[in-house]
Amino acid sequence: PAFEVQTDVVSGTLQLKGSQTGFSSFVLPENALTVLCEGVMAPGVYNLPVQAIVPAPYEIVSSSPIAIQLTVKRRVP
């Protein structure tokens, strides 16, 4: 809560493998591409991996970006 994040990357791509019938009703979760920031403890510039998270039985074929650069600053009250 003490920090705010700035980045130029706001979207990505995800290619999945699964059954054709399953995709007809599939809705991609909002957090399918996620950056975990729990290790960020101070302001600075960080290069963090992007993790793709999708429910079974779908398989991730590829995702992009694989990492993003974040600038972390103290939040101004």
Side-chain angles (χ1 to χ4, degrees):
F3 301 118
E4 62 185 17
V5 174
Q6 296 175 333
T7 183
D8 292 336
V9 178
V10 294
S11 65
T13 61
L14 188 58
Q15 184 178 12
L16 301 177
K17 177 180 174 183
S19 72
Q20 184 68 30
T21 55
F23 278 118
S24 64
S25 62
F26 178 72
V27 176
L28 188 64
E30 186 175 314
N31 64 343
L33 294 175
T34 301
V35 177
L36 301 178
C37 298
E38 68 266 355
V40 174
M41 300 295 176
V45 177
Y46 296 85
N47 286 307
L48 298 174
V50 176
Q51 296 181 341
I53 303 169
V54 295
Y58 303 101
E59 293 180 45
I60 300 163
V61 175
S62 66
S63 65
S64 176
I66 58 171
I68 62 169
Q69 184 175 25
L70 302 175
T71 301
V72 177
K73 297 182 177 185
R74 288 219 178 269
R75 188 178 299 272
V76 179

